[in-house]
């Protein structure tokens, strides 16, 4: 068995059970795969942190940060601007399935530009 192989299982979300669009695919992977992915993720994040390649404004997938911490930080900045009689314009965008639509060649180029290549890159690319 290939440790990167996962079993795709449809999980019901809501609505009619007879409509395929009301299910989301969940990939059930082996424990070994999860351990290896965790090690690779930790190494990549440490590399990016060590070389200051992640902006402080990045909240997703960072320890001690979340959508909530991002929203609170944003709210603090807006409140401060309003208190100082400034103007605030806000535009909200929802990038549904953003990773699925991102050109993988561009992501590979970005990772390589940040010094991530070799066996780590091979593992990342092999998981797609």
């Amino acid at each position: 068995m290939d440790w990167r192989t996962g079993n795709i299982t449809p999980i019901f979300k809501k609505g009619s059970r007879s409509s395929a669009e009301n299910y989301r695919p969940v990939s059930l992977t082996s424990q070994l795969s999860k351990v290896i992915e965790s090690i690779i993720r930790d190494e990549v994040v440490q590399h990016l942190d060590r070389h200051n390649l992640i902006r402080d404004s990045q909240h997703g997938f960072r320890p001690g940060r979340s959508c909530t911490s991002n929203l609170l930080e944003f709210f603090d900045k807006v409140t401060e601007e309003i208190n100082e009689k400034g103007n605030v314009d806000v535009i909200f965008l929802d990038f549904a399935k953003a990773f699925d639509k991102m050109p993988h060649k561009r992501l590979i180029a970005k990772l390589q530009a940040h010094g991530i290549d070799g066996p780590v890159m091979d593992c990342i690319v092999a998981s797609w």
Side-chain angles (χ1 to χ4, degrees):
M1 176 182 153
D2 186 352
W3 62 269
R4 296 169 294 176
T5 300
N7 294 319
I8 308 299
T9 302
I11 303 295
F12 179 69
K13 295 186 296 185
K14 61 181 177 180
S16 170
R17 290 187 179 272
S18 61
S19 177
E21 66 190 23
N22 293 327
Y23 290 81
R24 68 181 176 93
V26 174
S27 178
L28 305 174
T29 55
S30 72
Q31 293 296 73
L32 177 60
S33 174
K34 290 177 184 182
V35 169
I36 291 171
E37 286 174 3
S38 177
I39 290 168
I40 291 171
R41 178 199 172 276
D42 291 348
E43 289 299 317
V44 168
V45 169
Q46 285 177 17
H47 170 81
L48 296 173
D49 280 340
R50 189 170 42 250
H51 297 286
N52 296 316
L53 297 171
I54 300 178
R55 293 182 181 168
D56 195 47
S57 61
Q58 173 69 39
H59 285 254
F61 307 104
R62 305 239 358 239
R65 297 181 184 212
S66 64
C67 291
T68 302
S69 67
N70 183 278
L71 184 59
L72 290 171
E73 187 175 299
F74 168 76
F75 186 68
D76 283 345
K77 289 179 181 181
V78 169
T79 303
E80 181 181 322
E81 189 65 31
I82 291 171
N83 287 341
E84 294 178 7
K85 309 292 187 216
N87 295 319
V88 177
D89 295 321
V90 178
I91 298 172
F92 290 95
L93 301 172
D94 181 10
F95 296 107
K97 300 182 180 179
F99 184 76
D100 295 340
K101 296 174 182 170
M102 178 179 190
H104 287 176
K105 287 182 181 179
R106 186 178 303 164
L107 178 59
I108 290 168
K110 186 85 166 180
L111 289 170
Q112 289 172 331
H114 284 44
I116 299 166
D117 54 14
V120 172
M121 179 63 78
D122 294 343
C123 285
I124 292 170
V125 171
S127 69
W128 294 337

